[in-house]
Amino acid sequence: MKKDFIRIPDLTRDEIDGIFNTAFELKRGSPSETGQAPLKGKTLIMIFHKPSLRTRVSFEVGMARLGGRAVHLRDEEIGVDSREKLEDVGKVLSRYGDGIMIRTFRNEWVERLASASSIPVVNGLTDIHHPCQVLADIFTLKEKNLDPDKMIVAYLGDGNNVCNSWIDATQRFGFELRVAHPQGYSPDPDVLAEAGKKGKGKVLLTQDPREAAKGADVIYTDVWASMGKESEREARARQFKPYQVNRTAVSLAKKNCLVMHCLPAHRGDEITDDVIDGPNSIVFDEAENRMHLQNGLLATLLGRKK
């Protein structure tokens, strides 16, 4: 049976741990160097409705390292629901490839594509979720010897798709997540409600960034205006200024706290240069690990027996 990855709770904790182990193994040695090619002859079809640096390169290079290949498609070549119904796209691509990755706006599109496809579908980002990013973040923290069942993560800023996926992750891990956000910028209420019912971890919402950062193991932030919200950037900058990750915020956390940002970063807005380039930052380790985590995910999903 094929397995899709649309949200973190789509995977069991055992499945996630297995993906982490595979990712660690693949990271230790390039498949081309070790003779491993778990996806030799496999093709990942990638659909992009949103621009990308890390998502495209990490998936494309990752497939090459695993012995497979990736095909890049823009919506101009598809015309979802205008030129061609999304369900038909899923059925056709299932005849050509072994997996589909889609980076788009509406989460509903990922769900519809997955329902129509007979090959695994991976959510590369939607307006509501960014599951590959947050799994890569947790993978990175494990690599830095933090326990995902015991750590405290302070998320400062917008309750956006990355924040929602961090909340989703509390359904599988026992960490404490403290989300500090300005009034009116809280995470998705349905995501919060589900985590409240099924969560293994704990989610705290506050409008006080100091409360969130105090004693935290990890301080995490993202852009204040995500893609599609650029017109709100100036207004958001005024409201979000107290949530900037700077030396003051870092000083409130544990002495050796780790600072994370999913990138791209607007330096001087949500994070300062001295922090993102400072000794607490693991931002670029986190960016590298997008590829390694996704390699573990792809090797698992596309290598499954149908």
Side-chain angles (χ1 to χ4, degrees):
M1 295 292 292
K2 71 128 175 177
K3 180 86 173 182
D4 301 310
F5 182 53
I6 301 173
R7 296 176 56 195
I8 289 174
D10 290 341
L11 300 174
T12 66
R13 176 61 183 269
D14 285 345
E15 287 173 328
I16 293 172
D17 287 341
I19 289 166
F20 284 173
N21 290 337
T22 301
F24 279 123
E25 192 175 311
L26 291 169
K27 183 176 180 178
R28 279 194 291 267
S30 168
S32 60
E33 295 172 354
T34 62
Q36 299 179 71
L39 297 183
K40 184 177 180 180
K42 302 272 187 175
T43 300
L44 177 70
I45 300 171
M46 308 187 302
I47 300 172
F48 285 88
H49 293 148
K50 287 189 174 188
S52 166
L53 170 63
R54 278 152 296 279
T55 298
R56 178 175 179 180
V57 175
S58 61
F59 273 108
E60 196 161 326
V61 173
M63 280 298 293
R65 286 170 63 95
L66 296 174
R69 68 188 298 263
V71 175
H72 176 265
L73 293 173
R74 297 175 301 168
D75 192 47
E76 290 90 335
E77 299 162 286
I78 301 171
V80 168
D81 284 345
S82 57
R83 179 173 176 268
E84 191 158 6
K85 190 176 179 181
L86 184 57
E87 284 75 9
D88 291 346
V89 173
K91 291 173 184 177
V92 169
L93 296 183
S94 295
R95 303 293 183 102
Y96 295 150
D98 301 282
I100 302 170
M101 188 284 298
I102 179 169
R103 179 179 170 93
T104 188
F105 293 91
R106 296 162 57 183
N107 208 69
E108 173 206 354
W109 285 357
V110 185
E111 293 169 347
R112 287 173 56 198
L113 186 65
S115 294
S117 302
S118 60
I119 57 177
V121 172
V122 174
N123 180 358
L125 174 144
T126 67
D127 286 347
I128 303 297
H129 300 289
H130 200 351
C132 290
Q133 177 65 58
V134 173
L135 269 196
D137 296 334
I138 296 172
F139 173 80
T140 304
L141 293 171
K142 279 178 64 69
E143 189 178 54
K144 301 298 181 182
N145 298 315
L146 280 183
D147 185 341
D149 290 313
K150 297 179 180 178
M151 64 189 183
I152 299 173
V153 178
Y155 183 102
L156 309 186
D158 188 21
N160 61 11
N161 50 5
V162 175
C163 184
N164 289 332
S165 285
W166 269 105
I167 294 168
D168 269 352
T170 65
Q171 293 193 42
R172 296 292 179 262
F173 298 93
F175 63 88
E176 179 179 324
L177 176 65
R178 304 171 183 169
V179 179
H181 62 87
Q183 186 174 3
Y185 296 95
S186 63
D188 185 272
D190 292 334
V191 172
L192 282 167
E194 186 177 319
K197 293 176 181 177
K198 302 178 181 179
K200 179 180 178 182
K202 179 182 178 182
V203 180
L204 169 69
L205 299 186
T206 178
Q207 291 179 24
D208 183 355
R210 297 177 64 88
E211 179 185 6
K214 188 175 180 180
D217 297 291
V218 180
I219 297 183
Y220 198 107
T221 193
D222 192 7
V223 294
W224 290 339
S226 299
M227 278 182 282
K229 305 288 186 182
E230 291 86 355
S231 62
E232 302 173 15
R233 184 171 177 178
E234 288 187 17
R236 283 174 174 250
R238 292 189 294 272
Q239 293 170 291
F240 280 85
K241 188 66 175 177
Y243 300 85
Q244 183 184 70
V245 175
N246 49 35
R247 294 310 307 175
T248 300
V250 172
S251 71
L252 294 169
K254 290 181 180 175
K255 183 178 179 181
N256 296 317
C257 76
L258 301 175
V259 173
M260 306 183 84
H261 190 308
C262 59
L263 299 177
H266 294 153
R267 290 167 175 253
D269 287 346
E270 72 273 6
I271 194 166
T272 56
D273 284 337
D274 58 342
V275 171
I276 197 171
D277 296 324
N280 299 85
S281 174
I282 57 168
V283 169
F284 298 101
D285 293 338
E286 172 189 6
E288 177 190 344
N289 279 339
R290 276 288 301 277
M291 180 180 69
H292 299 303
L293 180 281
Q294 289 163 187
N295 283 355
L297 177 70
L298 292 173
T300 300
L301 299 186
L302 275 60
R304 291 168 64 101
K305 292 182 180 180
K306 296 181 182 179

